[in-house]
Amino acid sequence: MTLIEPGDIVTLKGLKNSKEKPLGILKRKWSHSSYEIIWLNEKISSRFALGLYVDPKKLEVVSRANQ
């Protein structure tokens, strides 16, 4: 699993190359078992039933904040 830091743009695993995917910015690490995400496209994220807190095993980094 890659290390995800605050400010990284993330999506769900397996949807990196899809056209319609939920994109979010990692706001903070809530605990070791969940991250707080700000979803950029709320309509698509509600279609995938995503809340504010997501398990890090389900996330994939699209773009890093500190490149």
Side-chain angles (χ1 to χ4, degrees), residues 23-27 36-41 52:
L23 290 174
I25 298 176
L26 179 67
K27 185 174 180 181
E36 186 175 357
I37 307 288
I38 299 172
W39 294 107
L40 301 175
N41 41 8
L52 289 177

Side-chain angles (χ1 to χ4, degrees), residues 18-29:
S18 177
K19 288 189 178 190
E20 283 195 10
K21 59 188 168 202
L23 290 174
I25 298 176
L26 179 67
K27 185 174 180 181
R28 64 180 164 171
K29 295 178 182 180

Side-chain angles (χ1 to χ4, degrees), residues 1 8 11 13 18 23 29-30 36 40 44-48 51 53-54 58-59 61:
M1 184 172 86
D8 290 349
T11 189
K13 276 191 179 177
S18 177
L23 290 174
K29 295 178 182 180
W30 186 253
E36 186 175 357
L40 301 175
I44 295 175
S45 64
S46 65
R47 188 183 321 156
F48 285 93
Y53 304 101
V54 180
K58 297 179 181 180
L59 297 175
V61 176

